[in-house]
Amino acid sequence: MYLVILVLTLDCFVLGLSGEVCSNGERSMTCDYDIKVKTGSSLGAGTDAHVYIRLVGTRGVTAVHELTGPSSTFEKNSVDSFIIKDGASIGDLTAVNIKRDESGWFPKWQLTKIGVLSRVTGQWSLFVYDDWTTPNAWITIPITCYPGFTKNSTTGLCDDPKCGAKASDVLTRLLGGSEAPVGSWPWQAIIEFKRDHKRFCSGSLVFPQWVLTTAFCVYGKKPSMLAVRPGAAHAAYSGSSAEQNIEAQDIFIHPDYHKYTIFSHDLALVKLSHPASISNTVNLACLPGSISQVPVSAPAQSCWYTGWGVKSGTLYQAPVPLVSEDKCKSPVQKMHPSMLCGYEARNDTGPCVKDRGGPLSCESQGKWYLKGLVSTGTDCYSNMPKNLIFTKISFLMGWIKQVINNDHDF
């Protein structure tokens, strides 16, 4: 996977902070960067030469820094780590400049890639080269975009894929729910056992290679057991061209799951073995930004639950009014800020246990945002009105950013 600084508009998920600042009035502050350099695996790939680097950003360039280490630095097929300190305020990284001289017995060098972590923003950026270097000449390596993202020819940064777009509008306002047209909720995903396509939970596609679900769904399971079907309109596996079937590569569970009260921090990230292909039936939900906050008093039409329930294998949709904590008859022992309460008037199309992890999608300014994930209260065999507990995505955004930013392959 190529992980980079992802500079997104407020329409979608913003990974970390943009506009790095290393000075404040008269008091200066040093920008620290962790640098990782991977040398190639070809015969003679290592080097004894001196290696220099400078970082290029949207607002400037750092000074030249020599990457120095022990005598074993830059050996064949190795990863070397360095720290550089620089006072320049260069903004968001767009490229690195790298240069080596011809000193030492073996000056030739095959460079695979460079990773840069800004300690100010907490973001990793990746710069892939995969070639032999030229001596005594600065080589410019532009930022490598995360799968599914495109390079902006003007800024040099990575633009996000479009999120929150639906192939069809919500066609009904019936409180009992209705069948969802194919492609109407393109971020809805099924999480199943790979060996037999047996569905056990739901999830939401938020990046081409990342699915959000609840910790309850994947706790104790190994990635090798699981597959994900984004774009699925039916619970049973059909091999339809509208859906995709992608194996899971890794699972990340929030470290505070159940820590403060039962079902607090009920969140997990599933990394796919390869990015999903974005289409009319497979797309990304927007993650909360400053313009996407839907008030608790919002009408039922603003937020919708989607799932398969118990009646049939067809995806259903139903509006869910949000309920304040003081009015929530919680099915858990104690409400926590990582939870969100919703009211379900009828349960004939309501979520069942296998729908846990499914999205609560809310519309804001023409885009659909992932407000929550079905967490608990999913007793679909009771036809009584009740409250549902959703995992509150906006409360847990810091952890989501941290996992994705730090999951770089070196």
Side-chain angles (χ1 to χ4, degrees):
M1 171 186 117
Y2 296 158
L3 186 61
V4 299
I5 287 183
L6 307 178
V7 179
L8 312 183
T9 68
L10 287 179
D11 289 341
C12 274
F13 181 29
V14 180
L15 277 180
L17 307 172
S18 61
E20 169 185 330
V21 177
C22 297
S23 62
N24 182 11
E26 296 180 356
R27 183 181 62 184
S28 63
M29 181 172 61
T30 301
C31 280
D32 290 356
Y33 298 93
D34 290 352
I35 310 291
K36 288 192 174 184
V37 180
K38 184 169 184 178
T39 297
S41 57
S42 300
L43 182 65
T47 186
D48 296 329
H50 296 104
V51 176
Y52 305 90
I53 194 171
R54 61 189 176 198
L55 309 181
V56 181
T58 53
R59 294 205 304 266
V61 182
T62 66
V64 175
H65 298 268
E66 183 177 359
L67 299 179
T68 58
S71 58
S72 59
T73 302
F74 304 123
E75 293 293 324
K76 172 184 172 182
N77 202 29
S78 66
V79 176
D80 297 292
S81 299
F82 309 90
I83 297 174
I84 66 171
K85 299 177 182 291
D86 198 285
S89 177
I90 66 171
D92 299 306
L93 287 177
T94 60
V96 296
N97 297 150
I98 198 83
K99 182 176 74 169
R100 68 160 175 92
D101 60 20
E102 293 187 275
S103 61
W105 288 98
F106 303 100
K108 290 185 177 181
W109 186 36
Q110 185 185 45
L111 171 63
T112 299
K113 53 189 173 182
I114 298 172
V116 181
L117 170 67
S118 168
R119 294 191 179 180
V120 174
T121 65
Q123 298 180 50
W124 277 100
S125 305
L126 187 67
F127 306 87
V128 177
Y129 189 63
D130 279 333
D131 204 352
W132 293 88
T133 56
T134 302
N136 300 313
W138 285 107
I139 300 168
T140 299
I141 310 173
I143 198 167
T144 301
C145 292
Y146 181 90
F149 291 71
T150 56
K151 184 71 64 64
N152 187 306
S153 59
T154 301
T155 65
L157 298 169
C158 297
D159 289 338
D160 58 300
K162 300 299 181 183
C163 66
K166 289 159 44 59
S168 61
D169 293 330
V170 176
L171 301 177
T172 180
R173 303 302 182 192
L174 298 176
L175 284 178
S178 64
E179 184 175 324
V182 175
S184 55
W185 305 99
W187 44 89
Q188 177 91 35
I190 284 175
I191 302 177
E192 63 186 17
F193 291 108
K194 183 172 59 177
R195 66 178 182 272
D196 55 10
H197 296 292
K198 185 176 180 181
R199 173 176 67 100
F200 65 87
C201 264
S202 298
S204 298
L205 190 70
V206 292
F207 280 106
Q209 205 169 355
W210 293 91
V211 170
L212 271 177
T213 188
T214 57
F216 171 88
C217 284
V218 293
Y219 188 85
K221 296 180 174 66
K222 297 179 180 179
S224 59
M225 302 164 56
L226 309 183
V228 177
R229 280 197 284 134
H234 300 278
Y237 176 74
S238 65
S240 165
S241 60
E243 66 182 35
Q244 297 170 33
N245 193 321
I246 307 173
E247 295 180 2
Q249 177 177 313
D250 212 343
I251 295 172
F252 301 85
I253 294 176
H254 199 290
D256 291 337
Y257 178 47
H258 282 328
K259 181 176 180 179
Y260 298 100
T261 185
I262 187 170
F263 287 113
S264 73
H265 300 85
D266 189 12
L267 188 64
L269 274 160
V270 178
K271 182 183 177 183
L272 306 179
S273 60
H274 63 82
S277 299
I278 304 303
S279 66
N280 287 336
T281 56
V282 176
N283 204 350
L284 312 178
C286 296
L287 287 170
S290 61
I291 66 170
S292 66
Q293 302 306 313
V294 178
V296 168
S297 60
Q301 289 85 350
S302 294
C303 294
W304 289 71
Y305 151 77
T306 47
W308 285 270
V310 69
K311 275 195 167 182
S312 75
T314 302
L315 186 66
Y316 269 71
Q317 57 192 21
V320 180
L322 303 179
V323 180
S324 62
E325 182 176 339
D326 60 326
K327 295 181 180 179
C328 180
K329 296 180 179 179
S330 173
V332 297
Q333 294 176 354
K334 180 183 178 182
M335 287 288 288
H336 185 267
S338 63
M339 300 173 178
L340 186 67
C341 190
Y343 178 76
E344 186 183 37
R346 292 171 56 184
N347 203 40
D348 54 353
T349 59
C352 295
V353 172
K354 292 181 180 180
D355 290 322
R356 280 187 173 175
L360 174 69
S361 305
C362 302
E363 186 179 14
S364 179
Q365 300 187 16
K367 286 186 177 292
W368 288 86
Y369 291 80
L370 191 63
K371 182 77 172 180
L373 300 175
V374 176
S375 177
T376 189
T378 54
D379 178 14
C380 61
Y381 295 99
S382 169
N383 201 34
M384 300 296 292
K386 64 178 183 296
N387 288 128
L388 299 171
I389 300 301
F390 297 90
T391 301
K392 189 176 182 180
I393 301 300
S394 59
F395 184 82
L396 302 168
M397 283 295 294
W399 178 77
I400 296 171
K401 298 176 189 180
Q402 181 184 39
V403 170
I404 297 178
N405 277 324
N406 288 338
D407 186 63
H408 58 287
D409 295 328
F410 254 91

